[in-house]
Amino acid sequence: MCSLPVPREPLRRVAVTGGTHGNEMSGVYLARHWLHAPAELQRASFSAVPVLANPAATSGCRRYVDHDLNRTFTSSFLNSRPTPDDPYEVTRARELNQLLGPKASGQAFDFVLDLHNTTANMGTCLIAKSSHEVFAMHLCRHLQYPELSCQVFLYQRSGEESYNLDSVAKNGLGLELGPQPQGVLRADIFSRMRTLVATVLDFIELFNQGTAFPAFEMEAYRPVGVVDFPRTEAGHLAGTVHPQLQDRDFQPLQPGAPIFQMFSGEDLLYEGESTVYPVFINEAAYYEKGVAFVQTEKFTFTVPAMPALTPAPSPAS
């Protein structure tokens, strides 16, 4: 496995971003709270910076204004010449790239934690680019404590450019918590996200203080395809997610199992040749994308050890 370099210096420049999607309320309200009371984000070796990522969408309690911000951090958007007609989120992505990046540069933030909610029954999902991200994989393992079941979703396909907000930093991770309706703030999910953020910052502090982390085996999920809803010739829904599939995110889907219940009464069955693990099942934000659920495969891989940082030499007396 070709792994990305492990940080060899303490992570000093850390940001926590909420409101990347303006109707995912846990991150919105945590970011707003920390902007006024940031002490909770301070650790001995660094202080994380809170960022409200999409203020315009947040003020309107909308996912986005013109374009999905979390699909906008690619070179084609970030490096193109600005024009007065640019979508709001393209302009905002460039601003965030200047604040937290520039992407793929030595000046970029050391770590960005991006906070999200989903209407799907994803529980606590940790989203990273790939298994090659050694620091993020060790962080995911640290978050998988017994009383909290966390699944790891690696979104980046081979040869695909990273496109989400935390990709502007040298290291990053997304928290995806659900189910929570859009525009709604649930106390239990808000509290769980707040605890997870604290645990992430504690892990960075452990790393900065010289803790070594041994190699381990990790189980994760990666996308292999998407499935749209059944539709009429006019493009309208002809059925919806079957009750036997609804809320079964990360559970195995066997060939021949029902996936859609048609409005005409019959069931549509999964016709694939192998078992897959659906995620983002019936996600509200994906209706416009033509996605009823994402198909993933489960796999296991080895994460190499992350050695302790070498202490900086003491200044000569």
Side-chain angles (χ1 to χ4, degrees), residues 109-164:
F109 262 54
D110 295 315
F111 187 87
V112 168
L113 179 65
D114 195 26
L115 309 180
H116 290 267
N117 292 119
T118 172
T119 64
N121 191 32
M122 298 280 283
T124 300
C125 180
L126 313 175
I127 300 183
K129 291 191 284 291
S130 76
S131 59
H132 306 321
E133 307 257 321
V134 176
F135 185 87
M137 294 303 96
H138 278 275
L139 172 55
C140 288
R141 188 193 190 205
H142 184 77
L143 292 171
Q144 291 176 315
Y145 37 91
E147 60 269 28
L148 182 65
S149 175
C150 294
Q151 308 297 342
V152 177
F153 177 63
L154 305 176
Y155 76 86
Q156 190 175 34
R157 301 191 187 207
S158 178
E160 179 184 57
E161 182 183 3
S162 57
Y163 50 74
N164 60 356

Side-chain angles (χ1 to χ4, degrees), residues 7 9-17 41 46-51 95-113 129 133 135 165-173 201 204:
E9 296 180 354
L11 278 62
R12 306 292 190 194
R13 303 177 70 213
V14 177
V16 181
T17 55
L41 302 182
F46 69 96
S47 293
V49 177
V51 177
E95 293 170 353
L96 290 167
N97 187 49
Q98 289 302 308
L99 174 67
L100 304 173
K103 184 176 180 177
S105 76
Q107 293 74 45
F109 262 54
D110 295 315
F111 187 87
V112 168
L113 179 65
K129 291 191 284 291
E133 307 257 321
F135 185 87
L165 190 157
D166 65 71
S167 69
V168 304
K170 297 172 185 174
N171 302 276
L173 188 72
L201 301 184
I204 295 173

Side-chain angles (χ1 to χ4, degrees), residues 24 116-123 176-181 189 280 283-284:
E24 297 177 5
H116 290 267
N117 292 119
T118 172
T119 64
N121 191 32
M122 298 280 283
E176 186 84 59
L177 271 59
Q180 176 170 280
I189 292 180
F280 290 107
E283 162 62 48

Side-chain angles (χ1 to χ4, degrees), residues 39-93:
E40 196 174 326
L41 302 182
Q42 296 175 1
R43 296 297 183 272
S45 63
F46 69 96
S47 293
V49 177
V51 177
L52 189 62
N54 195 334
T58 298
S59 64
C61 197
R62 302 164 56 183
R63 181 175 174 87
Y64 57 82
V65 176
D66 297 315
H67 188 276
D68 191 333
L69 180 61
N70 214 34
R71 304 293 186 274
T72 313
F73 292 90
T74 60
S75 56
S76 60
F77 286 120
L78 298 178
N79 299 330
S80 59
R81 183 183 299 275
T83 73
D85 297 327
D86 284 337
Y88 168 78
E89 277 80 10
V90 172
T91 300
R92 182 58 178 158

